[in-house]
Amino acid sequence: MRTRPYALEELEDIPGTTVFTAMRSREAYHLHKFCMSLMEAPNREAFKADERAYLDRYRMSEAQKQAVLDRDFNRLIDLGGNIYFLVKLSNTDGWSVQKAVGSMSGMTADEYAAMMRNGGRSPEGNRSIREGN
């Protein structure tokens, strides 16, 4: 039997980070299938032609479908999405990864790039939700 050096609940204590777990993977299985379908041009065209009808082909939750329609990547991650799949959606819209990740941070693509060039976010105050530091 395998033992973990930490409890899985500790993964929920990282400010600004949602750790992709097996449970989240199961929750987002159909969301990820949708995202992967966007790798094929005819599927991208069908999605762009009628987003809602295309989404209804997949057994995603209504919340996941609405988050796709809203392009709310933070919500999609909360609903189990993994950025490596979700980037297929942002690419379908012609977004760079930088723009997509910037949108998740409340920044423009240029603001996000500048922050990263300057060393990224400070770890101060971002170590533990529970401990507030």
Coordinates of all heavy atoms in Angstrom, one line a residue, residues 32 34-36 38-39 44 73 76-77 81-101 104:
H32 N -13.0 17.7 -21.2 CA -11.7 17.5 -21.9 C -11.9 16.8 -23.2 O -11.2 17.2 -24.2 CB -10.8 16.6 -21.0 CG -10.4 17.4 -19.8 ND1 -10.0 16.7 -18.6 CD2 -10.3 18.7 -19.5 CE1 -9.7 17.6 -17.7 NE2 -9.9 18.8 -18.2
F34 N -14.5 17.4 -25.2 CA -14.9 18.5 -26.0 C -13.7 19.3 -26.4 O -13.5 19.6 -27.6 CB -15.9 19.5 -25.2 CG -15.8 20.9 -25.7 CD1 -16.3 21.3 -26.9 CD2 -15.2 21.8 -24.9 CE1 -16.3 22.6 -27.3 CE2 -15.1 23.2 -25.3 CZ -15.6 23.5 -26.5
C35 N -12.8 19.7 -25.5 CA -11.6 20.4 -25.8 C -10.7 19.7 -26.9 O -10.3 20.3 -27.8 CB -10.8 20.7 -24.6 SG -11.5 21.9 -23.4
M36 N -10.5 18.4 -26.7 CA -9.7 17.7 -27.6 C -10.4 17.6 -29.0 O -9.7 17.6 -30.0 CB -9.5 16.3 -27.1 CG -8.6 16.2 -25.9 SD -6.9 17.0 -26.2 CE -6.2 15.8 -27.3
L38 N -11.6 20.0 -30.5 CA -11.3 21.2 -31.2 C -9.9 21.2 -31.9 O -9.5 22.1 -32.6 CB -11.3 22.4 -30.2 CG -12.6 22.7 -29.5 CD1 -12.5 23.8 -28.5 CD2 -13.7 23.0 -30.6
M39 N -9.2 20.0 -31.8 CA -8.0 19.9 -32.5 C -8.2 19.7 -34.0 O -7.3 19.8 -34.8 CB -7.2 18.7 -32.0 CG -6.6 19.0 -30.6 SD -5.6 17.7 -29.9 CE -4.2 17.8 -31.0
R44 N -13.8 22.7 -35.0 CA -13.7 24.1 -34.7 C -14.7 24.9 -35.4 O -15.4 25.8 -34.8 CB -12.3 24.6 -34.9 CG -11.2 24.0 -34.0 CD -9.9 24.8 -34.1 NE -9.3 24.7 -35.4 CZ -8.5 23.7 -35.8 NH1 -8.2 22.7 -35.0 NH2 -8.0 23.7 -37.1
F73 N -12.0 30.8 -17.8 CA -11.1 29.7 -17.6 C -10.9 29.4 -16.2 O -10.7 28.2 -15.8 CB -9.7 30.1 -18.3 CG -9.9 30.0 -19.8 CD1 -10.1 31.2 -20.5 CD2 -9.8 28.8 -20.5 CE1 -10.2 31.2 -21.9 CE2 -9.9 28.8 -21.9 CZ -10.1 30.0 -22.6
L76 N -13.7 27.1 -15.3 CA -13.5 25.8 -15.9 C -12.5 25.0 -15.1 O -12.7 23.8 -14.9 CB -13.0 26.0 -17.4 CG -14.1 26.4 -18.3 CD1 -13.5 26.9 -19.7 CD2 -15.1 25.3 -18.5
I77 N -11.5 25.6 -14.6 CA -10.5 24.9 -13.7 C -11.2 24.5 -12.4 O -11.0 23.4 -12.0 CB -9.2 25.8 -13.5 CG1 -8.4 25.8 -14.8 CG2 -8.4 25.3 -12.4 CD1 -7.2 26.7 -14.8
G81 N -11.4 21.3 -15.0 CA -10.6 21.5 -16.2 C -9.1 21.6 -16.0 O -8.7 22.1 -15.0
N82 N -8.4 21.1 -16.9 CA -6.9 21.2 -16.9 C -6.5 22.1 -18.0 O -6.9 22.0 -19.2 CB -6.3 19.8 -17.1 CG -4.8 19.8 -17.1 OD1 -4.2 20.3 -17.9 ND2 -4.3 19.1 -16.0
I83 N -5.5 23.0 -17.7 CA -5.1 24.0 -18.7 C -4.6 23.4 -20.0 O -4.8 24.0 -21.1 CB -4.1 25.0 -18.1 CG1 -3.9 26.2 -19.0 CG2 -2.8 24.3 -17.8 CD1 -5.1 27.1 -19.3
Y84 N -4.0 22.3 -20.0 CA -3.5 21.6 -21.2 C -4.6 21.2 -22.1 O -4.4 21.1 -23.3 CB -2.6 20.4 -20.8 CG -1.4 20.9 -20.1 CD1 -1.2 20.7 -18.7 CD2 -0.4 21.6 -20.8 CE1 -0.1 21.2 -18.0 CE2 0.8 22.0 -20.1 CZ 0.9 21.8 -18.7 OH 2.0 22.3 -18.1
F85 N -5.8 21.0 -21.6 CA -7.0 20.7 -22.5 C -7.6 22.0 -22.8 O -8.0 22.3 -23.9 CB -8.0 19.8 -21.7 CG -7.5 18.4 -21.6 CD1 -6.9 18.0 -20.4 CD2 -7.5 17.5 -22.6 CE1 -6.5 16.7 -20.2 CE2 -7.1 16.2 -22.4 CZ -6.6 15.8 -21.2
L86 N -7.8 22.9 -21.8 CA -8.5 24.2 -22.0 C -7.8 25.1 -23.0 O -8.5 25.9 -23.7 CB -8.7 24.9 -20.7 CG -9.4 24.2 -19.6 CD1 -9.4 25.0 -18.3 CD2 -10.9 23.8 -20.1
V87 N -6.5 25.0 -23.2 CA -5.9 25.8 -24.2 C -6.4 25.5 -25.6 O -6.3 26.4 -26.5 CB -4.3 25.6 -24.1 CG1 -3.9 24.3 -24.7 CG2 -3.6 26.8 -24.7
K88 N -7.0 24.4 -25.8 CA -7.6 24.1 -27.2 C -8.7 25.1 -27.4 O -8.9 25.5 -28.6 CB -8.1 22.7 -27.2 CG -7.1 21.6 -26.8 CD -5.9 21.4 -27.7 CE -5.1 20.2 -27.4 NZ -4.0 20.4 -26.5
L89 N -9.4 25.4 -26.4 CA -10.5 26.4 -26.5 C -10.0 27.8 -26.8 O -10.5 28.5 -27.7 CB -11.4 26.4 -25.2 CG -12.5 27.4 -25.2 CD1 -13.5 27.3 -26.3 CD2 -13.2 27.3 -23.8
S90 N -9.0 28.2 -26.0 CA -8.4 29.6 -26.3 C -7.8 29.6 -27.7 O -7.9 30.7 -28.3 CB -7.4 29.9 -25.2 OG -6.3 29.1 -25.2
N91 N -7.2 28.6 -28.1 CA -6.6 28.6 -29.4 C -7.6 28.7 -30.5 O -7.4 29.3 -31.6 CB -5.7 27.3 -29.7 CG -4.4 27.4 -28.9 OD1 -4.0 28.4 -28.4 ND2 -3.8 26.2 -28.7
T92 N -8.8 28.0 -30.3 CA -9.9 28.1 -31.2 C -10.4 29.6 -31.4 O -10.8 30.0 -32.5 CB -11.1 27.2 -30.8 OG1 -10.6 25.9 -30.7 CG2 -12.3 27.4 -31.6
D93 N -10.2 30.3 -30.4 CA -10.6 31.8 -30.4 C -9.5 32.6 -31.0 O -9.6 33.8 -31.0 CB -11.0 32.3 -29.1 CG -12.4 31.7 -28.6 OD1 -13.2 31.3 -29.5 OD2 -12.6 31.7 -27.4
G94 N -8.3 32.0 -31.3 CA -7.2 32.7 -31.8 C -6.4 33.4 -30.7 O -5.5 34.3 -30.9
W95 N -6.6 33.0 -29.4 CA -5.8 33.5 -28.3 C -4.5 32.8 -28.2 O -4.4 31.6 -28.4 CB -6.6 33.3 -27.0 CG -7.9 34.0 -26.8 CD1 -8.6 34.6 -27.8 CD2 -8.5 34.2 -25.6 NE1 -9.7 35.1 -27.2 CE2 -9.7 34.9 -25.9 CE3 -8.3 33.8 -24.3 CZ2 -10.6 35.2 -24.9 CZ3 -9.2 34.1 -23.3 CH2 -10.3 34.9 -23.6
S96 N -3.5 33.6 -27.8 CA -2.2 33.0 -27.4 C -2.4 32.4 -26.0 O -3.3 32.8 -25.3 CB -1.1 34.1 -27.4 OG -1.4 35.0 -26.4
V97 N -1.5 31.5 -25.6 CA -1.5 31.0 -24.3 C -1.3 32.1 -23.3 O -2.0 32.2 -22.2 CB -0.4 29.9 -24.1 CG1 -0.4 29.4 -22.6 CG2 -0.7 28.7 -25.0
Q98 N -0.5 33.1 -23.7 CA -0.2 34.2 -22.8 C -1.5 35.0 -22.5 O -1.8 35.4 -21.4 CB 0.8 35.1 -23.5 CG 1.3 36.3 -22.7 CD 2.5 37.0 -23.4 OE1 3.5 36.4 -23.6 NE2 2.3 38.2 -23.7
K99 N -2.3 35.2 -23.6 CA -3.6 35.9 -23.4 C -4.5 35.1 -22.5 O -5.2 35.7 -21.6 CB -4.2 36.2 -24.7 CG -5.5 37.0 -24.6 CD -6.2 37.3 -25.9 CE -7.5 38.0 -25.7 NZ -8.1 38.4 -27.0
A100 N -4.6 33.8 -22.7 CA -5.5 33.0 -21.9 C -5.1 33.0 -20.4 O -5.9 33.2 -19.6 CB -5.5 31.5 -22.4
V101 N -3.8 32.8 -20.2 CA -3.3 32.8 -18.8 C -3.4 34.2 -18.2 O -3.8 34.3 -17.0 CB -1.9 32.2 -18.7 CG1 -1.3 32.3 -17.3 CG2 -1.8 30.8 -19.2
M104 N -6.8 34.7 -16.9 CA -7.1 34.0 -15.6 C -6.5 34.8 -14.5 O -6.9 34.6 -13.3 CB -6.4 32.6 -15.7 CG -7.1 31.8 -16.7 SD -6.1 30.3 -17.1 CE -6.1 29.5 -15.5

